[in-house]
Amino acid sequence: LVTENGGVGVGVGDGQKFLPSDSVINLDHGDPTMYEPFWRKMGDKATIVIPGWQCMSYFSDINKVCWFLEPDFAQEIIRLHKLVGNANTEDRYIVVGTGSTQLFQAALYALSPSNATDPISVVSAAPYYSSYPSVTDFLKSGLYRWAGDAYTFDEEGPYIELVTSPNNPDGFSRESVVKRGGGTLVHDLAYYWPQYTPLTSMTDHELMLFTVSKSTGHAGTRLGWALVKDKAVAKKMTKYIELNTIGVSKDSQLRAAKILKTLTDSCEITEKTDHTECFFEYGHLIMAERWQQLRDAVKRSGVFSLPQFSPDFCNYKRTVTEPHPAFAWLRCEGEVQDCESFLKGHKILTRSGRHFGEDPKYVRVSMLDRNEAFKLFVERLSSIHS
Ligand code: PMP
């Protein structure tokens, strides 16, 4: 199972408080349910009501390149980026997608030469996000094909390189690695938000992908957005989405607009007053606490290791912060070769390194599950000894 929603095992249902201590803990997917308490607390501030007559048209604004983008959503995207300072929105086209997964495919379509005899190569540095190879190749397109690890890519000709920063699965900040002519870059910035990483620069790349799934935690809303410099590329991405789904749910866009507005309001207001009411402060606190608990558990166990990250100055928080990635890239030390099976034996479901083009001694573990599951996970991990 290589998509984010795959996997089996006992999860904690909505509002369910208690997890039996022998439960299977499913941390294979990156489901961001950790954020539920914040949004519960926001109550009516983040609630919308859509009357039956609203949102009936296919169209949102026919004068825009992306004619199915709701103006309210576009406005809140710009407002949020301005508050956080993680990406330049000036002179950009915004393209909305059903998750950044659809936008990723739209980007491949838009960046592939339409008259080439062979499909263009798509690469990303290992360990790469496990969905890239499967999403690229599942329809066996004549336009593009997965060509593997960017570090070992040595073919001539044009290519598309996917740069994920911070990276899924290992959490490190990244730049492109191929660095030669004929390449086009897609920057997947799903995790470039202050709860996960110090924001060291206002990014300004040609094509940047974002998603509400990891910024606010609303993965079920299935919305992402692309910031695109080149009008022709934005037009082609829009065409892909037109042919694929004739646009993107307006109901979802209105909900996401309200969610983003509530988020930005929470941080704008608390800049002056209470700190912890701000979504990013809340997220940062929990992530820092969870990473500390995980590092303690790994130390107590003695069987695993974790990546070490360097702190950096975060332009948003105006202080030095440490990266607290959304996933832990855990390595089984010693004899164990297949870390996924080893942990499965302890009723912990994770995703093997081989899905990310890496050694099966590694697994990726979600850090974004509900509190009860995460607590049980660190307790169980710390009791595993060689
Ligand atoms: N890119 C990366 C790096 C991701 O980790 C994910 C989700 N796990 C996505 C894209 C897809 O996000 P969405 O839910 O918006 O399709």
Side-chain angles (χ1 to χ4, degrees), residues 84-155:
V84 175
N86 59 346
N88 186 5
T89 54
E90 303 281 318
D91 303 319
R92 304 288 146 139
Y93 297 92
I94 301 177
V95 182
V96 61
T98 300
S100 67
T101 301
Q102 188 183 36
L103 289 165
F104 162 62
Q105 294 166 76
L108 293 186
Y109 169 75
L111 299 174
S112 300
S114 52
N115 52 1
T117 43
D118 294 316
I120 190 169
S121 299
V122 179
V123 298
S124 188
Y128 42 71
Y129 173 34
S130 49
S131 285
Y132 292 153
S134 37
V135 169
T136 305
D137 277 351
F138 83 117
L139 288 180
K140 298 188 172 28
S141 168
L143 294 176
Y144 47 80
R145 67 174 182 92
W146 178 248
D149 184 2
Y151 285 120
T152 55
F153 178 67
D154 60 359
E155 291 168 31

XYZ file of all heavy atoms in Angstrom, residues 84-155:
549
model
N 2.577 34.027 6.732
C 3.643 33.090 7.085
C 4.962 33.451 6.398
O 6.038 33.217 6.952
C 3.196 31.647 6.722
C 4.297 30.653 6.959
C 1.971 31.261 7.524
N 4.873 33.987 5.192
C 6.080 34.352 4.450
C 6.843 33.159 3.899
O 8.061 33.199 3.763
N 6.111 32.061 3.572
C 6.816 30.868 3.067
C 6.876 30.793 1.539
O 7.643 29.994 0.994
C 6.191 29.584 3.635
C 4.726 29.444 3.278
O 4.093 30.401 2.825
N 4.193 28.254 3.484
N 6.066 31.595 0.839
C 6.104 31.551 -0.628
C 5.617 32.873 -1.203
O 4.703 33.498 -0.665
C 5.217 30.416 -1.146
N 6.241 33.237 -2.291
C 5.874 34.465 -2.976
C 4.621 34.233 -3.831
O 4.605 33.316 -4.658
C 7.055 34.891 -3.861
C 6.818 36.231 -4.507
O 5.817 36.892 -4.238
N 7.740 36.629 -5.365
N 3.601 35.040 -3.603
C 2.371 34.882 -4.395
C 2.203 35.997 -5.433
O 1.227 36.001 -6.174
C 1.123 34.880 -3.476
O 1.155 36.060 -2.679
C 1.065 33.659 -2.594
N 3.172 36.926 -5.466
C 3.070 38.056 -6.408
C 3.278 37.553 -7.838
O 4.165 36.734 -8.094
C 4.164 39.098 -6.124
C 4.169 39.648 -4.704
C 3.112 40.712 -4.477
O 2.953 41.563 -5.367
O 2.452 40.678 -3.420
N 2.474 38.071 -8.750
C 2.578 37.709 -10.172
C 2.578 36.204 -10.402
O 3.362 35.678 -11.191
C 3.853 38.310 -10.782
C 3.891 39.826 -10.601
O 2.838 40.455 -10.778
O 4.965 40.358 -10.257
N 1.741 35.493 -9.676
C 1.609 34.036 -9.841
C 0.198 33.717 -10.271
O -0.732 34.440 -9.906
C 1.795 33.281 -8.503
C 3.053 33.525 -7.793
C 4.142 32.862 -8.506
N 5.306 33.692 -8.334
C 6.506 33.219 -8.107
N 6.722 31.934 -8.061
N 7.517 34.028 -7.977
N 0.059 32.598 -10.952
C -1.261 32.055 -11.218
C -1.523 30.993 -10.169
O -0.649 30.175 -9.876
C -1.319 31.450 -12.626
C -1.089 32.514 -13.672
C 0.204 32.775 -14.147
C -2.143 33.296 -14.134
C 0.424 33.785 -15.074
C -1.917 34.309 -15.058
C -0.646 34.544 -15.521
O -0.426 35.549 -16.415
N -2.724 31.032 -9.592
C -3.091 29.978 -8.637
C -3.961 28.971 -9.376
O -4.931 29.348 -10.040
C -3.870 30.553 -7.431
C -3.030 31.613 -6.701
C -4.270 29.438 -6.462
C -3.762 32.296 -5.541
N -3.578 27.701 -9.282
C -4.406 26.625 -9.841
C -4.837 25.750 -8.679
O -3.998 25.313 -7.875
C -3.634 25.781 -10.896
C -4.544 24.717 -11.494
C -3.066 26.675 -11.998
N -6.147 25.516 -8.560
C -6.651 24.667 -7.473
C -6.800 23.242 -7.995
O -7.096 23.032 -9.175
C -7.994 25.211 -6.915
C -9.080 25.255 -7.973
C -8.474 24.400 -5.715
N -6.559 22.269 -7.099
C -6.692 20.865 -7.494
C -7.355 20.049 -6.408
O -7.435 20.481 -5.249
N -7.849 18.867 -6.794
C -8.404 17.931 -5.820
C -7.224 17.271 -5.105
O -6.724 16.230 -5.513
C -9.318 16.909 -6.525
O -10.359 17.634 -7.162
C -9.924 15.920 -5.546
N -6.747 17.948 -4.085
C -5.514 17.544 -3.419
C -4.330 17.951 -4.279
O -4.481 18.222 -5.487
N -3.144 18.020 -3.666
C -1.993 18.314 -4.512
C -1.656 17.089 -5.352
O -0.890 17.182 -6.301
C -0.806 18.838 -3.702
O -0.308 17.856 -2.878
N -2.265 15.950 -5.056
C -2.074 14.750 -5.888
C -2.573 15.001 -7.312
O -1.911 14.628 -8.281
C -2.819 13.558 -5.246
O -2.289 13.369 -3.932
C -2.651 12.282 -6.043
N -3.731 15.643 -7.454
C -4.209 15.943 -8.809
C -3.321 17.000 -9.475
O -3.028 16.921 -10.667
C -5.662 16.424 -8.778
C -6.243 16.549 -10.172
C -7.661 17.100 -10.196
O -8.024 17.965 -9.403
N -8.460 16.586 -11.108
N -2.860 17.962 -8.673
C -2.011 19.021 -9.236
C -0.659 18.486 -9.697
O -0.076 18.983 -10.657
C -1.804 20.129 -8.200
C -3.042 20.974 -7.931
C -2.862 21.789 -6.668
C -3.327 21.888 -9.125
N -0.158 17.494 -8.983
C 1.094 16.858 -9.370
C 0.945 16.242 -10.772
O 1.784 16.429 -11.654
C 1.448 15.815 -8.298
C 2.452 14.797 -8.721
C 3.735 15.191 -9.078
C 2.128 13.446 -8.766
C 4.675 14.248 -9.474
C 3.059 12.509 -9.155
C 4.332 12.912 -9.512
N -0.178 15.563 -10.985
C -0.423 14.960 -12.309
C -0.638 16.041 -13.368
O -0.180 15.917 -14.508
C -1.630 14.031 -12.232
C -1.338 12.828 -11.349
C -2.594 12.066 -10.967
O -3.148 11.332 -11.784
N -3.038 12.242 -9.737
N -1.348 17.125 -12.980
C -1.556 18.240 -13.906
C -0.217 18.859 -14.285
O -0.001 19.244 -15.443
C -2.467 19.284 -13.261
N 0.698 18.942 -13.305
C 2.027 19.517 -13.574
C 2.808 18.630 -14.535
O 3.442 19.129 -15.479
C 2.794 19.700 -12.262
N 2.754 17.311 -14.342
C 3.458 16.400 -15.264
C 2.925 16.591 -16.684
O 3.688 16.680 -17.652
C 3.274 14.937 -14.841
C 3.922 14.494 -13.527
C 3.768 12.990 -13.343
C 5.394 14.874 -13.466
N 1.600 16.661 -16.809
C 0.972 16.856 -18.121
C 1.432 18.175 -18.738
O 1.817 18.246 -19.908
C -0.547 16.814 -17.961
C -1.318 17.261 -19.183
C -1.426 16.423 -20.296
C -1.930 18.507 -19.229
C -2.124 16.838 -21.416
C -2.629 18.927 -20.339
C -2.722 18.089 -21.442
O -3.398 18.501 -22.551
N 1.423 19.240 -17.915
C 1.735 20.577 -18.432
C 3.208 20.721 -18.810
O 3.545 21.483 -19.716
C 1.364 21.631 -17.384
N 4.076 19.999 -18.126
C 5.522 20.169 -18.354
C 6.089 19.169 -19.357
O 7.256 19.259 -19.746
C 6.285 20.058 -17.022
C 5.914 21.111 -15.960
C 6.619 20.820 -14.641
C 6.256 22.523 -16.441
N 5.270 18.197 -19.789
C 5.752 17.213 -20.773
C 5.620 17.797 -22.172
O 4.571 18.334 -22.519
C 4.906 15.938 -20.715
O 4.969 15.371 -19.445
N 6.674 17.674 -22.980
C 6.541 18.134 -24.371
C 5.469 17.295 -25.069
O 5.450 16.064 -24.916
C 7.924 17.859 -24.972
C 8.822 17.490 -23.839
C 7.976 17.083 -22.686
N 4.565 17.953 -25.813
C 3.446 17.198 -26.393
C 3.837 16.474 -27.685
O 3.146 15.590 -28.146
C 2.265 18.139 -26.649
O 2.713 19.246 -27.390
N 4.999 16.868 -28.263
C 5.368 16.288 -29.566
C 6.559 15.340 -29.490
O 7.137 14.993 -30.512
C 5.675 17.433 -30.546
C 6.691 18.401 -29.950
O 7.150 18.182 -28.823
N 7.043 19.438 -30.699
N 6.968 14.943 -28.287
C 8.158 14.085 -28.148
C 7.840 12.648 -28.564
O 6.697 12.202 -28.414
C 8.646 14.120 -26.701
N 8.849 11.933 -29.063
C 8.610 10.540 -29.446
C 8.623 9.625 -28.219
O 7.905 8.634 -28.168
C 9.667 10.059 -30.461
O 10.943 10.524 -30.021
C 9.375 10.579 -31.853
N 9.455 10.009 -27.210
C 9.527 9.204 -25.985
C 8.991 9.993 -24.794
O 9.114 11.220 -24.762
C 10.986 8.824 -25.686
C 11.542 7.902 -26.748
O 10.810 6.970 -27.132
O 12.680 8.146 -27.212
N 8.463 9.263 -23.801
C 7.990 9.964 -22.600
C 9.148 10.647 -21.863
O 10.271 10.118 -21.851
C 7.384 8.866 -21.731
C 7.456 7.602 -22.505
C 8.242 7.816 -23.742
N 8.885 11.799 -21.271
C 9.913 12.520 -20.518
C 10.163 11.782 -19.186
O 9.236 11.200 -18.606
C 9.491 13.997 -20.295
C 10.651 14.823 -19.738
C 8.282 14.114 -19.382
C 10.386 16.332 -19.755
N 11.424 11.834 -18.728
C 11.784 11.160 -17.467
C 11.382 12.006 -16.271
O 11.621 13.216 -16.256
C 13.298 10.939 -17.408
O 13.702 10.116 -18.474
N 10.803 11.348 -15.270
C 10.418 12.021 -14.024
C 11.264 11.424 -12.901
O 11.273 10.199 -12.711
C 8.917 11.809 -13.727
C 8.514 12.493 -12.426
C 8.064 12.305 -14.891
N 12.014 12.282 -12.199
C 12.929 11.784 -11.163
C 12.735 12.556 -9.849
O 12.205 13.668 -9.839
C 14.413 11.923 -11.600
C 14.692 11.088 -12.840
C 14.792 13.387 -11.856
N 13.194 11.927 -8.770
C 13.224 12.595 -7.465
C 14.298 11.900 -6.634
O 14.512 10.691 -6.772
C 11.854 12.490 -6.793
O 11.817 13.272 -5.627
N 14.976 12.681 -5.792
C 16.080 12.102 -5.010
C 15.554 11.144 -3.944
O 14.629 11.486 -3.203
C 16.879 13.231 -4.354
N 16.150 9.938 -3.867
C 15.764 8.958 -2.845
C 16.314 9.399 -1.486
O 17.415 9.946 -1.437
C 16.280 7.574 -3.208
N 15.591 9.177 -0.411
C 14.259 8.601 -0.384
C 13.211 9.610 -0.840
O 13.169 10.713 -0.339
C 14.059 8.246 1.100
C 14.930 9.205 1.856
C 16.093 9.500 0.962
N 12.378 9.195 -1.813
C 11.341 10.074 -2.376
C 9.964 9.631 -1.902
O 9.773 8.487 -1.487
C 11.401 10.072 -3.905
C 11.628 8.705 -4.504
C 10.641 7.729 -4.475
C 12.873 8.362 -5.063
C 10.862 6.469 -4.994
C 13.103 7.092 -5.587
C 12.097 6.157 -5.547
O 12.310 4.907 -6.036
N 9.010 10.548 -1.981
C 7.616 10.278 -1.580
C 7.092 9.090 -2.393
O 7.142 9.093 -3.626
C 6.797 11.554 -1.812
C 5.310 11.455 -1.623
C 4.733 10.625 -0.655
C 4.445 12.238 -2.397
C 3.371 10.572 -0.484
C 3.073 12.192 -2.222
C 2.536 11.352 -1.278
O 1.179 11.307 -1.113
N 6.587 8.074 -1.677
C 6.238 6.796 -2.301
C 5.143 6.894 -3.365
O 5.033 6.013 -4.218
C 5.815 5.804 -1.213
O 4.877 6.414 -0.351
N 4.338 7.947 -3.334
C 3.287 8.077 -4.359
C 3.846 8.511 -5.716
O 3.193 8.292 -6.735
C 2.241 9.119 -3.936
O 1.420 8.599 -2.947
N 5.008 9.161 -5.747
C 5.511 9.675 -7.032
C 5.635 8.578 -8.103
O 5.093 8.749 -9.198
C 6.849 10.400 -6.870
C 6.820 11.707 -6.099
C 7.958 12.147 -5.425
C 5.688 12.511 -6.054
C 7.963 13.343 -4.720
C 5.683 13.709 -5.350
C 6.830 14.125 -4.686
O 6.833 15.294 -3.990
N 6.344 7.457 -7.819
C 6.451 6.448 -8.886
C 5.105 5.866 -9.278
O 4.817 5.734 -10.482
C 7.342 5.351 -8.278
C 7.738 5.801 -6.929
C 7.148 7.129 -6.644
N 4.252 5.553 -8.294
C 2.981 4.903 -8.645
C 2.048 5.854 -9.384
O 1.419 5.471 -10.373
C 2.307 4.286 -7.423
O 2.501 5.097 -6.304
N 1.963 7.105 -8.925
C 1.075 8.067 -9.592
C 1.594 8.382 -11.003
O 0.820 8.524 -11.952
C 0.924 9.356 -8.745
C 0.229 10.462 -9.524
C 0.149 9.061 -7.467
N 2.911 8.448 -11.159
C 3.477 8.764 -12.477
C 3.197 7.652 -13.489
O 2.892 7.924 -14.652
C 5.009 8.984 -12.368
O 5.238 9.999 -11.394
C 5.628 9.418 -13.686
N 3.280 6.400 -13.035
C 3.241 5.286 -13.999
C 1.918 4.528 -14.090
O 1.767 3.689 -14.963
C 4.355 4.282 -13.663
C 5.692 4.731 -14.263
O 5.688 5.694 -15.059
O 6.721 4.117 -13.940
N 0.951 4.807 -13.202
C -0.202 3.887 -13.156
C -1.040 3.878 -14.426
O -1.668 2.877 -14.744
C -1.042 4.081 -11.877
C -2.060 5.204 -11.921
C -3.417 4.937 -11.805
C -1.658 6.516 -12.032
C -4.346 5.973 -11.818
C -2.592 7.555 -12.044
C -3.929 7.277 -11.953
N -1.023 4.953 -15.210
C -1.783 4.939 -16.471
C -0.886 4.709 -17.690
O -1.335 4.808 -18.824
C -2.567 6.244 -16.640
C -3.773 6.410 -15.711
C -4.481 7.731 -15.970
C -4.764 5.260 -15.869
N 0.386 4.403 -17.433
C 1.343 4.123 -18.512
C 1.264 5.199 -19.599
O 1.052 4.922 -20.785
C 1.098 2.735 -19.107
C 1.279 1.617 -18.092
C 1.221 0.257 -18.755
C 1.583 -0.890 -17.844
N 1.338 -0.743 -16.435
N 1.432 6.436 -19.181
C 1.313 7.568 -20.103
C 2.394 7.524 -21.175
O 3.512 7.086 -20.923
C 1.441 8.874 -19.301
O 1.613 9.965 -20.168
N 2.051 8.005 -22.354
C 3.051 8.174 -23.409
C 3.810 9.485 -23.256
O 4.776 9.745 -23.971
N 3.372 10.345 -22.307
C 3.985 11.673 -22.143
C 5.136 11.675 -21.143
O 6.098 12.405 -21.290
C 2.932 12.677 -21.656
C 1.798 13.018 -22.613
C 0.807 13.942 -21.928
C 2.353 13.662 -23.878
N 4.993 10.895 -20.084
C 6.007 10.913 -19.019
C 6.122 9.520 -18.396
O 5.199 8.709 -18.472
C 5.655 11.959 -17.946
C 4.212 11.907 -17.478
C 3.787 10.962 -16.548
C 3.265 12.803 -17.984
C 2.467 10.914 -16.130
C 1.943 12.761 -17.571
C 1.559 11.811 -16.638
O 0.249 11.754 -16.236
N 7.301 9.265 -17.807
C 7.501 7.965 -17.133
C 8.437 8.156 -15.956
O 9.301 9.038 -15.972
C 8.045 6.913 -18.097
C 9.423 7.234 -18.554
C 10.069 6.160 -19.386
N 11.417 6.617 -19.690
C 12.484 6.322 -18.945
N 12.394 5.529 -17.903
N 13.671 6.830 -19.267
N 8.259 7.331 -14.937
C 9.097 7.392 -13.742
C 10.496 6.885 -14.078
O 10.644 5.805 -14.658
C 8.464 6.543 -12.626
C 9.286 6.511 -11.381
C 9.949 5.426 -10.866
C 9.544 7.593 -10.484
N 10.594 5.784 -9.714
C 10.365 7.102 -9.451
C 9.164 8.945 -10.454
C 10.816 7.908 -8.408
C 9.613 9.735 -9.419
C 10.425 9.220 -8.406
N 11.531 7.666 -13.755
C 12.908 7.246 -14.050
C 13.745 7.123 -12.779
O 14.964 7.028 -12.848
C 13.543 8.227 -15.035
N 13.095 7.131 -11.618
C 13.777 6.755 -10.373
C 14.531 7.870 -9.677
O 14.235 9.061 -9.809
N 15.571 7.417 -8.943
C 16.348 8.276 -8.053
C 17.126 9.352 -8.830
O 17.924 9.023 -9.713
C 17.318 7.367 -7.286
C 18.121 8.115 -6.242
O 17.907 9.338 -6.086
O 18.950 7.464 -5.574
N 16.910 10.598 -8.475
C 17.587 11.701 -9.171
C 19.104 11.654 -8.979
O 19.857 12.105 -9.843
C 17.044 13.038 -8.664
N 19.575 11.074 -7.865
C 21.029 10.999 -7.614
C 21.739 10.134 -8.650
O 22.893 10.365 -8.975
C 21.312 10.430 -6.219
C 21.049 11.403 -5.092
C 20.113 11.096 -4.099
C 21.739 12.614 -4.998
C 19.868 11.984 -3.053
C 21.493 13.500 -3.965
C 20.561 13.178 -2.983
O 20.317 14.052 -1.969
N 21.049 9.106 -9.150
C 21.705 8.184 -10.093
C 21.217 8.381 -11.534
O 21.581 7.615 -12.422
C 21.459 6.711 -9.671
O 20.045 6.517 -9.550
C 22.128 6.387 -8.351
N 20.420 9.403 -11.760
C 19.860 9.650 -13.103
C 20.950 10.174 -14.037
O 21.553 11.220 -13.772
C 18.719 10.667 -12.986
C 18.087 11.035 -14.295
C 17.358 10.103 -15.030
C 18.208 12.326 -14.801
C 16.763 10.453 -16.239
C 17.623 12.682 -16.012
C 16.906 11.741 -16.723
N 21.224 9.426 -15.125
C 22.294 9.877 -16.010
C 21.888 9.835 -17.485
O 22.730 9.758 -18.373
C 23.560 9.030 -15.777
C 23.305 7.564 -16.061
O 22.157 7.215 -16.418
O 24.250 6.748 -15.914
N 20.568 9.867 -17.733
C 20.119 9.843 -19.129
C 20.216 11.239 -19.735
O 20.077 12.238 -19.046
C 18.660 9.377 -19.209
C 18.486 7.916 -18.841
C 17.019 7.545 -18.637
O 16.156 8.156 -19.302
O 16.762 6.671 -17.797
